[in-house]
Amino acid sequence: MKHDIASRFLDIAPEVRDTLGQGGAVVALESTIITHGMPHPQNVATAREVEAVVRANGAVPATIAIIEGRIKIGLSPEELDWLGTARDVMKLSRADLPYAVASGRHGATTVAATMICAHLAGIRVFATGGIGGVHQGVEETLDISADLDELARTPVAVICAGAKAILDLPRTLEYLETRGVPVVGYRTDRFPAFWSRTSDLPVPLRLDSPEAMASLIYTKESLGLDGGVLIANPVPEADEIPQEEMRGFIDRAVAEAKARGVAGKAVTPFLLSHLYELTGGRSLATNIALVKNNAALAAQLAASLARQDF
Ligand code: PSU
Ligand code: MN
């Protein structure tokens, strides 16, 4: 545990606490994907499956959410079920996490907030779907996800399938470079675009095994370099929606969001649900597949870090 103060606010599930205490492998999982990223009941089914994938790959899952102001590190099956249909759940990033805790609210953690909570609990690896990034039209809106700055400051490795192509991907990568975040392609030279295995962009760095990534994280920590590492893991080929096919859907969804004046925190959830309609549900099937794929890699990485076999 990072601070004793933090323990006042954290409820760490017994299995997670025991595993961390023994230096074992734990993978943090976010909850915004459950409350704001997928429809019910696929959200709960996916959350369960993702936890099972983490276990099958040698680590203990810790899904993170705020319930009545308590920071939960690891949810019970009942809590997970409840979260799947709960109302009045805030979408929490760095800016509003302490508000939700102080006022006893419920909250789902985004990538940024999940990193903060994972770090407080002593978890070094976190699997998600896609990170937030620089939005298209940033010149007008200044909409840059707090996920990017969190990656620059909090030492948690985030395994994602790249960033959603609803974002401005070149500027997202540029921003990460400026802020000193290592962006590593897993067995790829191209930055993946969430539903699609590749974008047109090269990925800055490349590693081909969980052990090599564990070595990078260990070395970065040993050198006293703070901040996280972003690992970009392409969706499996069988589940992808190729870039050319996705582009038209994305352009329509982004235009619709703009026409309706959707802004701020609502943008990402709106685009995800609109794309679900436009693709006849295919975008969701891909989303589920890529999250599971990321959970497997995250567990392998956490296990390697725990064994120090690099
Ligand atoms: N990836 C998904 N579904 C999601 C998100 C990412 O597949 O719902 C969420 C993550 O929690 C991410 C957030 O942190 O969207 C980014 O939101 P914003 O752009 O408002 O920062
Ligand atoms: Mn935003």
Side-chain angles (χ1 to χ4, degrees):
M1 179 87 45
K2 198 180 160 223
H3 314 288
D4 284 341
I5 294 172
S7 65
R8 275 181 48 204
F9 301 102
L10 265 58
D11 291 337
I12 305 184
E15 186 192 17
V16 173
R17 183 184 292 278
D18 290 349
T19 306
L20 288 171
Q22 294 158 12
V26 175
V27 171
L29 300 164
E30 64 152 302
S31 44
T32 295
I33 197 165
I34 302 173
T35 55
H36 296 73
M38 290 184 187
H40 187 79
Q42 289 95 333
N43 58 352
V44 174
T46 302
R48 284 188 198 294
E49 286 167 23
V50 168
E51 290 197 349
V53 168
V54 169
R55 289 186 193 283
N57 285 274
V60 170
T63 303
I64 294 177
I66 313 306
I67 301 179
E68 289 182 346
R70 300 293 302 171
I71 301 176
K72 302 281 179 188
I73 309 290
L75 298 182
S76 69
E78 295 74 29
E79 287 168 331
L80 204 67
D81 260 345
W82 170 83
L83 197 63
T85 53
R87 306 203 167 247
D88 295 325
V89 181
M90 297 175 73
K91 175 183 164 187
L92 300 177
S93 190
R94 168 173 280 266
D96 29 32
L97 174 67
Y99 172 94
V101 172
S103 50
R105 298 283 304 267
H106 308 311
T109 50
T110 58
V111 168
T114 306
M115 289 179 76
I116 294 169
C117 297
H119 182 52
L120 286 171
I123 302 172
R124 295 153 86 192
V125 180
F126 159 33
T128 184
I131 57 161
V134 178
H135 277 267
Q136 293 182 29
V138 64
E139 307 90 323
E140 281 174 42
T141 62
L142 206 69
D143 188 349
I144 301 173
S145 175
D147 292 353
L148 301 185
D149 275 318
E150 206 59 52
L151 281 160
R153 69 200 294 176
T154 302
V156 172
V158 179
I159 291 76
C160 69
K164 297 177 206 73
I166 54 179
L167 299 166
D168 183 329
L169 295 185
R171 286 188 167 112
T172 298
L173 283 176
E174 196 62 48
Y175 193 86
L176 288 166
E177 185 189 61
T178 299
R179 302 287 282 119
V181 179
V183 178
V184 182
Y186 181 63
R187 297 185 179 167
T188 182
D189 295 313
R190 298 258 143 204
F191 189 62
F194 199 72
W195 300 282
S196 316
R197 284 180 60 79
T198 65
S199 63
D200 301 329
L201 304 165
V203 70
L205 306 167
R206 171 180 174 147
L207 292 170
D208 290 343
S209 70
E211 293 75 22
M213 296 187 299
S215 172
L216 168 65
I217 291 161
Y218 174 82
T219 305
K220 185 168 180 289
E221 285 173 1
S222 303
L223 292 173
L225 299 169
D226 51 11
V229 172
L230 185 64
I231 294 162
N233 183 29
V235 62
E237 206 166 334
D239 302 298
E240 82 160 334
I241 307 178
Q243 211 188 348
E244 316 76 61
E245 226 177 305
M246 214 47 216
R247 192 168 289 133
F249 295 129
I250 288 169
D251 289 347
R252 280 167 66 189
V254 170
E256 186 66 26
K258 203 174 171 205
R260 295 202 204 176
V262 180
K265 279 174 183 287
V267 172
T268 298
F270 175 87
L271 293 173
L272 287 174
S273 75
H274 207 66
L275 282 165
Y276 175 76
E277 309 292 335
L278 290 174
T279 62
R282 254 178 98 196
S283 64
L284 178 60
T286 300
N287 197 343
I288 292 169
L290 65 85
V291 177
K292 288 196 207 168
N293 189 47
N294 295 341
L297 182 58
Q300 292 159 21
L301 170 58
S304 177
L305 272 170
R307 286 193 303 266
Q308 301 218 355
D309 61 356
F310 39 84

